[in-house]
Amino acid sequence: MTQQGVRWTADQVLALAPDAASRKAGSKLGTAGPWSQTGSSDEGAVWGLCKGSGSKPYQTIVDTGGDGAGSGPAYKCSCPSRKFPCKHALGLLLLWSGGDQQVPAGQAPPEWTEQWLAGRRQRAAQKRTAQEAPDGAGSAPADAEAVRRRAERRAERITAGATELEQRLTDLLRGGLAQAERAGYGLWEETAARMVDAQAPGLASRVRELGAIPGSGAGWPVRLLEECALLHLLDQGWLHRAELPEDLAATVRSRVGLSASAEQPPQRDDWLILAQYDSADGHLTTRRIWLYGAASHRTALLLSYGAAGRAPALALPAGLTLDAAVSGYPGAGTLRVELGEQFGTARPQGVRPAGVDVGTALAAYGRALTADPWLESWPVTLADVIPARDPDGGGWQLADVEGKSALPLVPQAAPSGLWRLAAVSGGAPVTVFGECGHRGFRPLATWTGAASEVISLC
């Protein structure tokens, strides 16, 4: 099934940009000047030739509907960029969003476009065949004993690392937190390297975060003690994982850095793409895409990763709804899912999550913490709140219409998104979706009515 005639808005296109530089460069290419031989098909493909600095134009293709096997919209360009989507794909989509005069609809793809699309269809068919085949069919049987031995060896290394980390935390507390400030970041970087050697990247990441706390301003000893306590709790959870309920044990395994597969049965729904944003730790770029199910009323999280300077490949247009199946990951209260089969292209639909007040949002975050004590934030939708500057600290907050309660916004909130939120509100109540955590609320999307346009704040 295809959705004909559905074109994304310019805001939805720009929300796909992996960074501000790509957004700016893509906007410059969103005019007809550099483009030729543009077109789009009823199946969701968009293509065009973009004149660059060389003699040959760049061949740019976007499959807005994905391949039907869970890959989402896909992008192909002959330019050397390592970003997904690149500036040429963004420019082409901006041109396409302007209507048939810019990018004619109902066209037959040229040969260079059809070759790429045919390859995607073939890989999608192979993937479906592999998923539908009986266990063990179509592939060599795995050496279960070898897999078990590798898992045991890694578990032993993680246990040794967790035991060493416990001793280092004990030494820190015995000598006093002041020594952490004198020792500088080197102490934590060396400890993190030891956790990497122990094949526990989750522990290594949390240790690195400790190194920045002594230089974070007034009150750092309290924050350092809190984070050390959480790290100690994670260590103990791993060392006593056999005694934990299975869901909590799965959460502990995930937090120390062991990967897992989506095990829950697929759930098909019309999924509203609420928000998408990237974060980087220097070695890895993580893309978070929030979904909301129209029938299930379930909030779900898609994670996509890019390494060595590459942006994650998966990018979905915020504000549109995707008919697709998702499978959940194991863990206590986990929201993470894997995108499965898609049944058509993303399209506009009046699906919006119901909002709650500030108190209910905080209570939801508190309940989530009981299932996962290491949780940084929890997705909530705030209804009837007004963005305003905090009269005390100078930051921003979301206050209820009666002025009785408010949530401070995290300092990491995008400044452009804050001003966009203020402009949409104009001093009137709005509905805001975002992440509620101990550092405050991070606004990700907003709208003013049940069926109004979802506006990205990322």
Side-chain angles (χ1 to χ4, degrees):
M1 179 181 68
T2 61
Q3 299 291 331
Q4 300 183 12
V6 176
R7 296 187 184 233
W8 304 344
T9 66
D11 285 342
Q12 289 165 342
V13 171
L14 292 175
L16 297 171
D19 51 42
S22 297
R23 189 178 298 112
K24 182 178 180 180
S27 297
K28 292 181 179 179
L29 293 174
T31 60
W35 292 97
S36 62
Q37 299 184 31
T38 58
S40 63
S41 70
D42 292 335
E43 287 71 36
V46 186
W47 60 86
L49 299 178
C50 185
K51 181 175 175 55
S53 56
S55 58
K56 291 185 63 177
Y58 294 122
Q59 297 177 340
T60 308
I61 319 167
V62 179
D63 183 1
T64 63
D67 59 15
S71 65
Y75 314 88
K76 171 68 175 178
C77 186
S78 58
C79 76
S81 175
R82 295 164 65 89
K83 297 180 180 180
F84 293 96
C86 68
K87 63 180 182 180
H88 304 102
L90 291 170
L92 176 61
L93 287 174
L94 286 172
L95 198 66
W96 171 67
S97 71
D100 289 355
Q101 289 185 341
Q102 305 288 355
V103 180
Q107 303 295 300
E111 182 180 359
W112 53 273
T113 298
E114 181 56 37
Q115 288 179 351
W116 181 71
L117 294 172
R120 284 178 55 76
R121 289 193 293 267
Q122 182 180 5
R123 290 189 293 272
Q126 292 172 346
K127 181 176 180 179
R128 284 192 293 268
T129 300
Q131 291 173 340
E132 295 168 359
D135 291 343
S139 60
D143 187 342
E145 181 60 24
V147 172
R148 184 187 65 80
R149 288 197 299 268
R150 285 196 297 270
E152 286 184 351
R153 287 195 295 270
R154 182 174 184 185
E156 290 171 358
R157 284 192 285 269
I158 295 175
T159 297
T163 302
E164 178 181 348
L165 182 55
E166 281 292 275
Q167 184 58 54
R168 297 197 177 203
L169 290 175
T170 300
D171 293 342
L172 173 66
L173 295 179
R174 182 180 291 120
L177 295 180
Q179 66 175 304
E181 186 176 31
R182 293 193 299 269
Y185 193 76
L187 167 69
W188 304 109
E189 187 58 39
E190 190 269 336
T191 304
R194 296 286 295 166
M195 297 304 103
V196 171
D197 293 341
Q199 293 187 297
L203 293 179
S205 177
R206 299 190 78 92
V207 168
R208 289 193 183 96
E209 292 175 0
L210 294 180
I213 295 178
S216 62
W220 69 263
V222 174
R223 293 191 293 275
L224 181 61
L225 185 60
E226 290 173 347
E227 293 301 321
C228 285
L230 284 173
L231 190 53
H232 166 69
L233 184 64
L234 184 55
D235 277 342
Q236 290 298 313
W238 172 261
L239 296 174
H240 298 89
R241 61 192 181 281
E243 305 166 25
L244 300 178
E246 180 51 38
D247 279 351
L248 184 55
T251 298
V252 169
R253 290 193 292 269
S254 173
R255 292 297 183 183
V256 300
L258 287 176
S259 59
S261 301
E263 300 174 350
Q264 297 177 9
Q267 181 179 18
R268 181 178 176 179
D269 205 339
D270 288 322
W271 296 98
L272 169 65
I273 305 161
L274 278 167
Q276 170 183 294
Y277 71 94
D278 294 352
S279 58
D281 64 1
H283 305 282
L284 189 72
T285 298
T286 302
R287 176 164 295 164
R288 300 166 68 87
I289 303 176
W290 285 108
L291 307 175
Y292 175 77
S296 62
H297 304 295
R298 173 185 179 184
T299 303
L301 174 65
L302 288 173
L303 294 181
S304 182
Y305 301 97
R310 293 185 67 92
L314 180 62
L316 298 178
L320 297 185
T321 301
L322 186 64
D323 182 5
V326 301
S327 299
Y329 281 75
T334 182
L335 299 177
R336 186 185 175 189
V337 298
E338 180 179 272
L339 185 60
E341 184 174 2
Q342 300 173 36
F343 307 91
T345 58
R347 63 198 187 280
Q349 188 173 326
V351 177
R352 304 289 182 267
V356 299
D357 58 29
V358 170
T360 303
L362 291 174
Y365 174 54
R367 288 192 299 271
L369 279 176
T370 63
D372 182 358
W374 308 278
L375 189 68
E376 290 289 331
S377 59
W378 188 254
V380 295
T381 301
L382 295 174
D384 297 329
V385 290
I386 301 173
R389 300 303 295 262
D390 184 348
D392 298 324
W396 288 79
Q397 63 182 9
L398 292 177
D400 62 24
V401 292
E402 298 178 352
K404 294 181 178 179
S405 58
L407 274 179
L409 301 188
V410 296
Q412 296 83 0
S416 59
L418 294 179
W419 289 112
R420 192 178 302 123
L421 175 60
V424 171
S425 166
V430 290
T431 302
V432 183
F433 169 80
E435 298 171 348
C436 181
H438 63 280
R439 294 184 177 90
F441 184 84
R442 178 170 187 163
L444 300 176
T446 186
W447 58 92
T448 55
S452 62
E453 179 186 354
V454 174
I455 300 171
S456 175
L457 304 175
C458 305

